[in-house]
Amino acid sequence: MDWNFMFFFNSILLGVGLAMDAFSVSLANGLNEPEMRINKRFGIAGVFAVFQALMPIIGWICVHTIVQYFKAFEKFIPWIALILLCYIGGKMIYDSFKGEDCDCDKKKTGILGLLVQGVATSIDALSVGFTIADYGLTMAVVCALIIAVVTFIICISGVELGRLCATEIGKRCQSLSGKFTIIGGIILIVIGVEIFLTGIF
């Protein structure tokens, strides 16, 4: 593979494709926490960007070192994503029904939850290591960095869109306050099921 237009174009397309699940989760986070501080918004996008870049590199390393073990592990990827996202989404829905009047801070996504989201939405990107297997290490790293930049832009847009929707609808109908956690949880569960079905079938 040469350093040409198609290399950069394909890397951008990979970034867009891989970022779709992370975008949906970012949207859910924005819906769940419309008053989110700007540093946390950038933090969420940054975490997803790092994981989406890291997983293809790990996959590339596996292809060039322990490919036989990686192929054996690959079949568990859809199950891991399903379990993690359904757990997070289910917990969000449960917490919403458990107490409508609870402190809003309890509904916020913490560092641990964000890391789990990052792993769950990016673990299928391990397989991208196969698609870039013919790249040298430098090209693989550059490809991963492009994926990270694209993911960051898409995810920060998702967070902002979620916050905007939650704020605008919340202003018009205060009775919907607190319901966005349920929507966010459902989104996460749907994403988990989608990753699972795509990976299995």
Side-chain angles (χ1 to χ4, degrees), residues 49-119:
V50 168
F51 275 105
Q52 292 289 3
L54 186 62
M55 291 298 181
I57 289 296
I58 294 175
W60 183 91
I61 292 171
C62 289
V63 168
H64 288 269
T65 54
I66 51 172
V67 63
Q68 66 274 21
Y69 300 109
F70 180 70
K71 278 186 172 293
F73 170 76
E74 192 176 15
K75 63 185 177 182
F76 296 107
I77 290 176
W79 289 96
I80 295 171
L82 176 69
I83 292 169
L84 290 177
L85 287 176
C86 284
Y87 169 75
I88 299 169
K91 188 174 186 302
M92 287 172 64
I93 295 172
Y94 173 76
D95 288 344
S96 180
F97 281 112
K98 185 178 179 181
E100 293 289 339
D101 300 324
C102 66
D103 188 352
C104 290
D105 286 338
K106 295 181 180 178
K107 294 184 178 181
K108 295 179 180 179
T109 303
I111 296 296
L112 182 58
L114 183 57
L115 291 176
V116 172
Q117 289 179 0
V119 172

Side-chain angles (χ1 to χ4, degrees), residues 122-175:
S122 66
I123 193 167
D124 57 332
L126 280 169
S127 300
V128 174
F130 283 112
T131 68
I132 62 173
D134 58 334
Y135 290 1
L137 178 59
T138 302
M139 291 189 79
V141 170
V142 171
C143 177
L145 291 175
I146 293 173
I147 291 172
V149 171
V150 172
T151 300
F152 183 89
I153 294 171
I154 290 175
C155 288
I156 197 70
S157 301
V159 173
E160 293 301 326
L161 181 60
R163 289 180 59 254
L164 179 63
C165 290
T167 302
E168 289 301 315
I169 297 175
K171 285 179 181 177
R172 297 180 184 182
C173 185
Q174 290 298 324
S175 63

